[in-house]
């Protein structure tokens, strides 16, 4: 069934409850009026209460669906150098799903 595509309207948090600010670079592709997120787009955190705090989340990409040459974001995965930087997608659109 696939995963829902993340858009700029998605609510993404680190596991410590801080909400990430997401910035898209594929503003021409929209779902329900919101620009899609792609791998490499920024998901930055400024209020993580953990010590040391999470500063950013990595967006996980779809295997075969791209916008502006980059994979559409379908989830959040921890940074490789920092496995504790786990993220959660709390809310996103449900109309478009990809594998
Ligand atoms: Zn955190």
């Amino acid at each position: 069934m696939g995963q829902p595509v993340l858009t700029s309207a998605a609510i993404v948090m680190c596991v410590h409850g801080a909400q990430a600010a997401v910035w898209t670079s594929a503003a021409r592709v929209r779902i329900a009026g919101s620009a899609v997120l792609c791998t490499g787009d920024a998901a930055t955190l400024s209020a993580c209460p953990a010590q040391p705090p999470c500063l950013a989340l990595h967006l996980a990409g779809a295997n075969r669906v791209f916008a502006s040459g980059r994979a559409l974001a379908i989830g959040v995965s921890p940074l490789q150098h920092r496995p504790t930087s786990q993220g959660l997608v709390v809310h996103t659109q449900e109309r478009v799903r990809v594998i």
Side-chain angles (χ1 to χ4, degrees):
M1 185 160 169
Q3 302 265 6
V5 175
L6 301 187
T7 69
S8 56
I11 297 175
V12 179
M13 298 180 137
C14 73
V15 288
H16 312 106
Q19 186 173 338
V22 292
W23 308 95
T24 181
S25 57
R28 288 189 293 177
V29 182
R30 293 177 178 267
I31 297 171
S34 299
V36 297
L37 297 177
C38 298
T39 54
D41 284 343
T44 57
L45 293 145
S46 59
C48 175
Q51 287 301 327
C54 307
L55 299 176
L57 297 171
H58 176 76
L59 298 176
N63 291 328
R64 289 188 267 178
V65 187
F66 299 83
S68 300
R70 291 183 298 136
L72 294 186
I74 56 171
V76 184
S77 61
L79 298 173
Q80 277 187 342
H81 65 277
R82 198 157 160 210
T84 56
S85 63
Q86 191 76 254
L88 310 165
V89 176
V90 180
H91 171 77
T92 187
Q93 60 80 33
E94 292 288 336
R95 289 184 181 180
V96 180
R97 291 173 167 264
V98 296
I99 297 173

